[in-house]
Amino acid sequence: MYVIGERINGMFENVKRAIQRKDAKVIQDLAKQQLTAGATALDVNVGPAAADAEGAMLWLAEAIRGVTDAPLSIDTAKWDVMCAVVSKIPGAKILNSSKADPEIARQYVALAVEYGAALIGLTIDSGGVPGNAEKRVELGAQFITIAMEGGLAMDKLFIDPIILPVNVAPQNPAHCMQAIAQLRLFADPAPHLLIGLSNVSQRCSNRSLINRAYLAMAMAQGMDGAIMDPLDEELMNTAITADLLNGKIIYCDSYLEAARHV
Amino acid sequence: MYVIGERINGMFENVKRAIQRKDAKVIQDLAKQQLTAGATALDVNVGPAAADAEGAMLWLAEAIRGVTDAPLSIDTAKWDVMCAVVSKIPGAKILNSSKADPEIARQYVALAVEYGAALIGLTIDSGGVPGNAEKRVELGAQFITIAMEGGLAMDKLFIDPIILPVNVAPQNPAHCMQAIAQLRLFADPAPHLLIGLSNVSQRCSNRSLINRAYLAMAMAQGMDGAIMDPLDEELMNTAITADLLNGKIIYCDSYLEAARHV
């Protein structure tokens, strides 16, 4: 399971303050904590309030690179910000994210290939978030084709079916699972299938429970990546246990600890 | 989700003692507690130590019928015990269980039809527990055919793919999920797909965590029934949440409480 830690995001008050005060230690602690807890990569998002998105992204990346070489998921919806920072951030990178419109997807694929980065491709286009599984599969398959044509290896492509909150879109979590189950069959080797997990429970009660249950359910369908909170210990335990029950790791009494130190 | 409470089983010390002492209140309390917690039906198993299995089963059933009309899952591997008690236990019943050998399955189907009972059909035959998903699907499909020929409606058939402990059979939980996903497509309407959940974590550490994760994963694949412990509150919460995320119930802030009072 490829866990991208979600905690370095300017929508969190502590990160927002750290960006404003240039307090690198707050960011570096969050980076180390998430990696120790089992994250493989770290999402980096300056948040909606950052006045200088490019400068804030570069400062965050520099702070994080002071303590780890883990892949950084450059999380911005702005193409110009992505282009400006990608060449300046050293080490492994994930471009997060591109929509599936062909002309947009081709640009992102080319950028990812140029910098040896991975790419998160959303099953959303200018028509908005699909209302069913079929349209997600169609857009995901289109993204896979564009990636192949552009020379991006499948192990560097993460398809994200776009999960919506279950209180707003009751059938959406089921649609995303169906899309995951189908999209993993579209190429061999398959691309990664990933979701922004916390979104499923936005503004719900029992958020951690909903996140845990959906993580296990989506992993049963073939999801092998998530942007999520690795500091939620029970959530990480669920991810590791789902890998166990999918037959991907072998049981020992201390399997939870063992998996965190791989 | 069709939850069959597992707690009235002679392998538990309190139930074993209650059977020996004819202490009906212990059994009745367990029945009421499980139903209040969200169970739909109650498994009844006299345990391996009961000298008079038939007498003990009838006493348990009579005690339970003193407090509820909920369906009782008559849990015995002995054909003669099943035959002897089925006519004497009033109300809704589930015969638990039959192997898939055609001559055995036909007998159980006929018995279930005669008494208007439901039936749990195992994907196991005289060849033992299948080592892969394919053989489970083959035996499950065979059972579905025999049930149809014998006049047992699909909503009265529970196919059980036989879950083994993950510490003993590492690939078995994944095989069972694959079998569930395929078997639910074999008839329309589909039979119920059910597992004896606790078995997946026998002699494992983190039993409750493993049970919760597997419950959610198997429900994502279409499992709609389980013999499980409804008194494990987090496990029941996971079952309800998986129904929510499968789009089977609609979110409200108190969805956990609401689902228990349906």
Side-chain angles (χ1 to χ4, degrees), chain A residues 122-133:
Chain A
L122 310 175
T123 65
I124 180 177
D125 63 6
S126 46
V129 178
N132 56 35

Side-chain angles (χ1 to χ4, degrees), chain A residues 31-242:
Chain A
K32 288 187 284 185
Q33 286 162 13
Q34 292 184 93
L35 294 169
T36 302
T40 309
L42 300 171
D43 197 60
V44 188
N45 186 318
V46 299
D52 172 16
E54 183 185 327
M57 183 69 82
L58 290 174
W59 177 79
L60 282 172
E62 189 186 347
I64 299 168
R65 279 285 172 261
V67 293
T68 178
D69 291 329
L72 299 186
S73 156
I74 306 170
D75 188 353
T76 174
K78 295 176 181 161
W79 169 250
D80 56 336
V81 173
M82 188 68 85
C83 286
V85 303
V86 65
S87 66
K88 298 174 187 163
I89 297 177
K93 289 172 283 287
I94 304 166
L95 311 187
N96 179 13
S97 53
S98 169
K99 291 187 180 177
D101 304 86
E103 64 281 16
I104 298 174
R106 281 192 204 103
Q107 284 186 311
Y108 274 91
V109 165
L111 193 68
V113 169
E114 181 178 354
Y115 289 97
L119 174 62
I120 297 177
L122 310 175
T123 65
I124 180 177
D125 63 6
S126 46
V129 178
N132 56 35
E134 290 71 18
K135 183 70 181 174
R136 285 180 162 80
V137 173
E138 180 189 325
L139 291 176
Q142 180 177 303
F143 217 117
I144 290 169
T145 304
I146 290 170
M148 286 177 161
E149 288 171 353
L152 185 69
M154 284 299 104
D155 68 351
K156 292 209 161 181
L157 178 64
F158 293 81
I159 298 287
D160 178 344
I162 308 272
I163 186 80
L164 300 177
V166 67
N167 59 349
V168 172
Q171 297 302 325
N172 174 273
H175 292 162
C176 284
M177 284 193 276
Q178 292 158 21
I180 288 167
Q182 292 178 48
L183 280 167
R184 70 168 168 164
L185 303 175
F186 261 81
D188 184 16
H192 296 288
L193 278 304
L194 165 144
I195 60 169
L197 179 65
S198 303
N199 212 37
V200 74
S201 63
Q202 284 287 359
R203 295 192 180 78
C204 292
S205 57
N206 310 302
R207 286 203 66 177
S208 183
L209 169 66
I210 293 173
N211 292 346
R212 285 198 302 276
Y214 196 65
L215 179 71
M217 294 172 80
M219 286 178 72
Q221 299 287 12
M223 183 184 78
D224 64 349
I227 303 174
M228 58 180 243
D229 183 4
L231 303 186
D232 180 337
E233 188 181 354
E234 285 198 75
L235 185 66
M236 272 304 300
N237 286 345
T238 300
I240 296 165
T241 301

Side-chain angles (χ1 to χ4, degrees), chain B residues 19-261:
Chain B
I19 294 172
Q20 289 165 346
R21 297 175 186 176
K22 296 273 190 279
D23 184 350
K25 186 168 183 305
V26 169
I27 304 303
Q28 291 173 335
D29 285 351
L30 276 172
K32 289 187 285 187
Q33 286 162 13
Q34 291 184 94
L35 294 169
T36 301
T40 309
L42 299 171
D43 197 60
V44 188
N45 185 317
V46 300
D52 172 15
E54 182 186 327
M57 183 68 83
L58 289 173
W59 177 80
L60 281 171
E62 190 187 346
I64 300 167
R65 278 286 172 259
V67 293
T68 178
D69 291 329
L72 299 185
S73 156
I74 307 171
D75 187 355
T76 173
K78 296 177 179 161
W79 169 250
D80 57 337
V81 173
M82 188 68 85
C83 286
V85 303
V86 66
S87 66
K88 298 174 187 163
I89 297 177
K93 288 172 284 285
I94 304 165
L95 312 188
N96 179 10
S97 54
S98 169
K99 291 186 180 177
D101 304 87
E103 64 279 15
I104 298 174
R106 281 193 203 101
Q107 284 186 311
Y108 273 92
V109 165
L111 192 67
V113 169
E114 183 178 353
Y115 290 97
L119 174 61
I120 297 176
L122 310 174
T123 66
I124 179 177
D125 64 5
S126 46
V129 178
N132 56 37
E134 290 72 16
K135 183 70 180 173
R136 286 180 161 81
V137 173
E138 180 189 325
L139 291 175
Q142 180 177 301
F143 216 117
I144 290 169
T145 305
I146 290 170
M148 285 177 162
E149 288 170 354
L152 185 69
M154 283 300 103
D155 68 353
K156 292 209 160 182
L157 178 63
F158 293 81
I159 299 288
D160 178 345
I162 308 273
I163 185 80
L164 301 177
V166 66
N167 58 350
V168 172
Q171 296 304 324
N172 174 272
H175 292 162
C176 283
M177 284 194 276
Q178 292 158 21
I180 287 167
Q182 292 178 45
L183 280 167
R184 71 168 169 164
L185 303 176
F186 261 84
D188 184 16
H192 295 289
L193 277 303
L194 164 144
I195 61 167
L197 179 64
S198 303
N199 213 36
V200 73
S201 62
Q202 285 286 358
R203 295 194 179 77
C204 291
S205 57
N206 311 302
R207 286 203 66 178
S208 183
L209 169 66
I210 293 173
N211 292 346
R212 285 198 302 275
Y214 196 65
L215 179 71
M217 295 172 80
M219 287 178 71
Q221 300 286 12
M223 184 183 79
D224 65 348
I227 304 174
M228 60 180 242
D229 182 4
L231 303 186
D232 180 338
E233 189 181 352
E234 284 198 78
L235 185 65
M236 273 303 300
N237 286 346
T238 300
I240 296 166
T241 302
D243 269 342
L244 173 76
L245 294 166
N246 271 330
K248 295 193 174 175
I249 60 176
I250 295 292
Y251 179 85
C252 66
D253 283 342
S254 58
Y255 74 93
L256 291 175
E257 293 70 32
R260 286 186 165 85
H261 296 103

